[in-house]
Amino acid sequence: MDASSHESADDQNIRHPRPTSTSSETEPLLARRPSNLSQASSLPKQLTTRHAFAILITLQIGSGVFASPAQIDSNVPSPGASLLVWALGGLLSWAGAASFAELGAAIPINGGMQEYLRYVYGDTMAFMMAWVYIMATKPSAMAIQSIVIAESIGSIVSFTSSGADTTLLRLVAALALIFIVILNSLNTKFTMRLSESFTGIKITTVFLVVLGGLVAVVAYLVNPKSSLSGSDDWHERNWFDTRPTVSNATPVDWFGMGTWERYGHFATAIYGGLWAFDGWDNANLVASEIRDPGKALPKAIKCAMVVVLSSYELVNVSYYILLPWDIISSDNAVAVTAAARVFGQWAGISITILIALSCCGSITGNVFTIGRLIIAASQRNYLPSFLGTRGIPAFTSRYEGEAQPAITAATEPPANPKSKLRSRIDAPIYANALALIVTLVYVFFGELRALLTFTGMASWIFYVSTVLGLLVLRRREPQLHRPYKPTVLLPIMFVVVGILVIARTAIFAPVQSVLLAFLLVAGAAISKIRSR
């Protein structure tokens, strides 16, 4: 029997969109193709390039660009070096995004990294990725954003995060998270409208910060003594001269430190930049719901990376114009401080509100993508099957068991009231509930800096493994149809730098490293038991 007979028609269409022969040359390739990919056609293709762009923007522009500047500035010797780190983080993220665009166009199914890792390495690696992402990485990211929202609200209504008020802070974070998850548990179209709205808010916030820097420059040129001209440092000091900084409340002696210690500081700075850019992989989680993913996905990723990289560079230039350089490294709310210091308290409050809304957008994007990841995991039997249910359980069935095509202009609306309700409420209710419960645990018991380190390290282990898998596929399956194929230098650069980042983090964050190693070993053990 021919090897291709074991695959569904959808599987063969993903591999070979155009008619192709089943010669002996292609049979080995088809034999290695994972089975049970029917989800690629069962999910309605209702997302466009604009929607994929909105998902990426809402996830990437969150609290990172407004909080990470302190971590980066404190670990580099000059403002110029800080801007170079931001550019390096953006280019490295772009290399990863381009690599994921190739995979998403070649294997356009929901699940993102889970499916790519399964395709290259097998079931155990895919299960470990789903296990870690669903139980740790995504919930940690949403917990961080929820806490930032609570801190933003607290700064306006004057409650603090110290002492007895810590409980109140976490309660506000939990309520904000619950509200956002409920909003995203209606239907896909409503969630996409939310994402697009938050995209506008995020770009507006970035524009206002950049405008503040531009106003300061113009004010200085008109009147050097103007109160709107920002700090004196930006026009009196060399942007690449070494100056003292403070890292973790400890002064940094840039002139007396050794090479290894300097490397540690620069690695920490790059890590902060990469966390701010994180989220570039999330459009791949909904690849099967995107119309013409071979063209739409790479285009959305390119546009998003141009916007995000440009925004981050301009925002950080504005920070160095508006604020004295000696306070940036110790301020975790640099955007709010810059606005309030130059333009008054009302400006600080306005930026605080916009940052909180930006974090709401990031949670919206994360809820949307983790829901799709949980569905993909349940369809692979990595999780209980009921978690794959979309919509109201009493009126819908799991996609693996019943395909539910999109309603188009050529089809009549369903007359059955249950079918109408199913078409309107199609959010993954159970998946969202699982994500909410796990995230609430991190909100009440997690610590921000520890969560940041753990989330970043876990993400990058799978990022590097996935892009390394892309290089393996290029050699192992050169005939795999690739609508988009960037230069091989991009994935190679990403893998090399990613390994260095992971190694540095493992050395300097042993607690998080041990916890992550435990999760990986536990995931591998559970996968083996499950397969038996």
Side-chain angles (χ1 to χ4, degrees), residues 390-397 402 404 407 413-426:
R390 290 163 58 105
I392 299 177
F395 291 91
T396 188
S397 62
E402 177 184 335
Q404 300 180 15
I407 299 174
N416 191 325
K418 293 184 178 181
S419 298
K420 287 184 179 181
L421 190 58
R422 178 189 303 150
S423 66
R424 292 176 183 174
I425 303 179
D426 64 350

Side-chain angles (χ1 to χ4, degrees), residues 391-476:
I392 299 177
F395 291 91
T396 188
S397 62
R398 193 159 66 96
Y399 268 122
E400 185 179 6
E402 177 184 335
Q404 300 180 15
I407 299 174
T408 64
T411 61
E412 291 294 330
N416 191 325
K418 293 184 178 181
S419 298
K420 287 184 179 181
L421 190 58
R422 178 189 303 150
S423 66
R424 292 176 183 174
I425 303 179
D426 64 350
I429 304 294
Y430 287 145
N432 287 358
L434 174 62
L436 174 62
I437 293 170
V438 177
T439 304
L440 286 174
V441 173
Y442 287 96
V443 168
F444 284 106
F445 300 103
E447 192 274 323
L448 264 180
R449 288 188 179 273
L451 288 175
L452 284 172
T453 302
F454 177 78
T455 301
M457 185 163 49
S459 298
W460 274 86
I461 285 177
F462 292 110
Y463 288 160
V464 171
S465 299
T466 303
V467 177
L468 185 61
L470 179 148
L471 296 173
V472 172
L473 280 182
R474 284 197 180 187
R475 182 174 180 82
R476 191 178 78 186

Side-chain angles (χ1 to χ4, degrees), residues 116 153 190 196 261 267 288 309 343 365 390 392 416 422 499:
Y116 310 148
I153 296 173
F190 180 74
E196 292 176 345
E261 187 179 359
S288 76
L309 178 55
F343 302 104
R390 290 163 58 105
I392 299 177
N416 191 325
R422 178 189 303 150
I499 290 174

Side-chain angles (χ1 to χ4, degrees), residues 238-519:
N238 188 321
W239 283 55
F240 286 91
D241 278 349
T242 300
R243 90 291 193 221
T245 60
V246 177
S247 179
N248 294 326
T250 303
V252 179
D253 180 10
W254 291 101
F255 296 99
M257 71 173 54
T259 302
W260 176 249
E261 187 179 359
R262 186 179 291 265
Y263 164 71
H265 281 289
F266 274 102
T268 302
I270 293 174
Y271 189 75
L274 293 175
W275 178 76
F277 281 100
D278 199 37
W280 45 262
D281 64 301
N282 281 271
N284 293 65
L285 290 171
V286 293
S288 76
E289 297 177 69
I290 299 175
R291 302 168 193 165
D292 193 7
K295 294 181 179 179
L297 191 57
K299 185 177 180 180
I301 289 174
K302 286 180 181 178
C303 293
M305 291 308 302
V306 168
V307 171
V308 174
L309 178 55
S310 302
S311 298
Y312 283 11
E313 283 292 313
L314 292 173
V315 164
N316 280 278
V317 169
S318 297
Y319 291 154
Y320 285 112
I321 291 174
L322 295 172
L323 290 175
W325 292 355
D326 60 348
I327 72 171
I328 293 179
S329 62
S330 58
D331 193 337
N332 290 325
V334 62
V336 176
T337 302
R341 186 183 182 98
V342 178
F343 302 104
Q345 190 63 31
W346 64 271
I349 293 175
S350 299
I351 291 295
T352 300
I353 294 172
L354 290 173
I355 291 174
L357 291 174
S358 293
C359 292
C360 290
S362 296
I363 296 175
T364 292
N366 273 309
V367 170
F368 184 76
T369 53
I370 193 175
R372 269 57 184 180
L373 178 58
I374 291 174
I375 289 176
S378 71
Q379 290 174 329
R380 292 295 185 194
N381 295 320
Y382 298 161
L383 294 173
S385 60
F386 72 89
L387 291 172
T389 302
R390 290 163 58 105
I392 299 177
F395 291 91
T396 188
S397 62
R398 193 159 66 96
Y399 268 122
E400 185 179 6
E402 177 184 335
Q404 300 180 15
I407 299 174
T408 64
T411 61
E412 291 294 330
N416 191 325
K418 293 184 178 181
S419 298
K420 287 184 179 181
L421 190 58
R422 178 189 303 150
S423 66
R424 292 176 183 174
I425 303 179
D426 64 350
I429 304 294
Y430 287 145
N432 287 358
L434 174 62
L436 174 62
I437 293 170
V438 177
T439 304
L440 286 174
V441 173
Y442 287 96
V443 168
F444 284 106
F445 300 103
E447 192 274 323
L448 264 180
R449 288 188 179 273
L451 288 175
L452 284 172
T453 302
F454 177 78
T455 301
M457 185 163 49
S459 298
W460 274 86
I461 285 177
F462 292 110
Y463 288 160
V464 171
S465 299
T466 303
V467 177
L468 185 61
L470 179 148
L471 296 173
V472 172
L473 280 182
R474 284 197 180 187
R475 182 174 180 82
R476 191 178 78 186
E477 302 186 16
Q479 296 186 18
L480 176 66
H481 179 63
R482 296 174 171 87
Y484 175 75
K485 186 178 180 181
T487 174
V488 72
L489 293 177
L490 291 180
I492 290 176
M493 178 185 71
F494 184 86
V495 169
V496 171
V497 178
I499 290 174
L500 293 176
V501 170
I502 294 170
R504 188 269 167 196
T505 307
I507 293 171
F508 289 92
V511 175
Q512 289 91 331
S513 300
V514 171
L515 177 59
L516 180 57
F518 172 77
L519 282 176

